[in-house]
Amino acid sequence: MNTLRLGDEAPNFTAQTTEGEINFHEWLGDSWGILFSHPADYTPVCTTELGTVAKYKKEFDERNTKVIALSVDGLESHKDWIKDINETQHTTVNFPIIADEDHKVASLYDMIHPNADSKHTVRSVFLIGPDKTVKLMITYPASTGRNFDELLRVIDSLQLTAYHKVATPANWNDGDDCVIVPAVSNEDATKMFPKGYTEVRPYLRMTPQPNKN
């Protein structure tokens, strides 16, 4: 099996989910996508995560981003687990969960890490662009819940930098100043960034976020 890397095409698959059968690439359409895996149903940390994603659905929708979860348990187990999630997290799960009992999707995305668990998927996150390529991969240990504010921050950064010749510095949040990429000359920077820029060093030039008023 080939290792999945940033920039690779996200493997396509057909799978059963709690919202019916999907073809992954067709389901994504022109949207961005987040695919995130869980070791098994009825796991406590993942219960809080799925509840959080349901509460954040509007935030993802505003960013043209679809979310889909995966566990190696079956559909009936998923549907019963959703009842628990809705009740304990005071929300309504509003996105599909893939039933990956044969580990087909887990294998495509290298979600089985034998030294951590030989049967269950690790807690991975894949952020996929509208071009169906992998933009971000994060794998978390079982004991640490995922930070979905961070995923929103990364989506904001990727959607900004896809259309403007900037990068986002450490701890950047939407609305903060950005870094002009080194390939842009000072002459071009003056034209591209009418708000101006500050040259901290020749290789480090800061400019207000270009897609904000």
Side-chain angles (χ1 to χ4, degrees):
M1 183 187 64
N2 293 326
T3 301
L4 197 60
R5 295 184 172 92
L6 294 181
D8 287 353
E9 181 176 280
N12 195 23
F13 57 85
T14 299
Q16 295 297 329
T17 81
T18 52
E19 296 185 2
E21 183 177 277
I22 67 157
N23 173 285
F24 186 51
H25 282 189
E26 290 179 4
W27 177 80
L28 281 174
D30 295 327
S31 299
W32 294 70
I34 289 178
L35 168 63
F36 62 114
S37 56
H38 302 273
D41 294 355
Y42 301 103
T43 46
V45 173
C46 295
T47 298
T48 67
E49 291 180 327
L50 288 168
T52 298
V53 171
K55 292 174 183 176
Y56 277 43
K57 181 74 161 42
K58 182 182 176 184
E59 298 280 352
F60 289 117
D61 287 346
E62 288 174 354
R63 292 162 172 83
N64 187 32
T65 301
K66 294 181 176 180
V67 292
I68 189 166
L70 175 146
S71 169
V72 296
D73 291 315
L75 279 181
E76 290 310 309
S77 175
H78 284 0
K79 290 175 181 177
D80 286 340
W81 185 28
I82 285 172
K83 295 174 186 175
D84 272 8
I85 295 165
N86 292 343
E87 183 177 342
T88 64
Q89 305 305 304
H90 310 293
T91 188
T92 300
V93 171
N94 44 20
F95 54 89
I97 305 174
I98 297 166
D100 193 36
E101 291 179 282
D102 60 3
H103 293 190
K104 174 185 169 185
V105 181
S107 296
L108 283 174
Y109 283 81
D110 195 20
M111 294 174 174
I112 304 289
H113 293 197
N115 290 332
D117 193 313
S118 61
K119 296 181 179 179
H120 297 116
T121 50
V122 292
R123 296 169 62 250
S124 295
V125 182
F126 297 88
L127 178 55
I128 298 156
D131 60 357
K132 309 300 183 292
T133 64
V134 176
K135 307 297 185 185
L136 169 82
M137 298 185 293
I138 309 177
T139 300
Y140 287 77
S143 57
T144 304
R146 283 169 275 207
N147 186 328
F148 291 95
D149 287 323
E150 168 64 2
L151 292 180
L152 291 174
R153 189 185 79 90
V154 173
I155 294 167
D156 286 340
S157 173
L158 286 168
Q159 292 182 346
L160 165 67
T161 58
Y163 300 106
H164 300 275
K165 292 186 180 298
V166 294
T168 54
N171 293 341
W172 175 90
N173 283 290
D174 190 39
D176 292 348
D177 286 357
C178 303
V179 175
I180 299 173
V181 298
V184 175
S185 68
N186 284 351
E187 182 180 357
D188 287 341
T190 301
K191 299 172 186 173
M192 287 181 182
F193 304 105
K195 297 175 187 175
Y197 65 89
T198 301
E199 186 177 292
V200 183
R201 290 289 188 274
Y203 62 87
L204 178 57
R205 297 164 296 172
M206 305 298 296
T207 188
Q209 185 169 327
N211 64 347
K212 291 286 185 182
N213 295 328

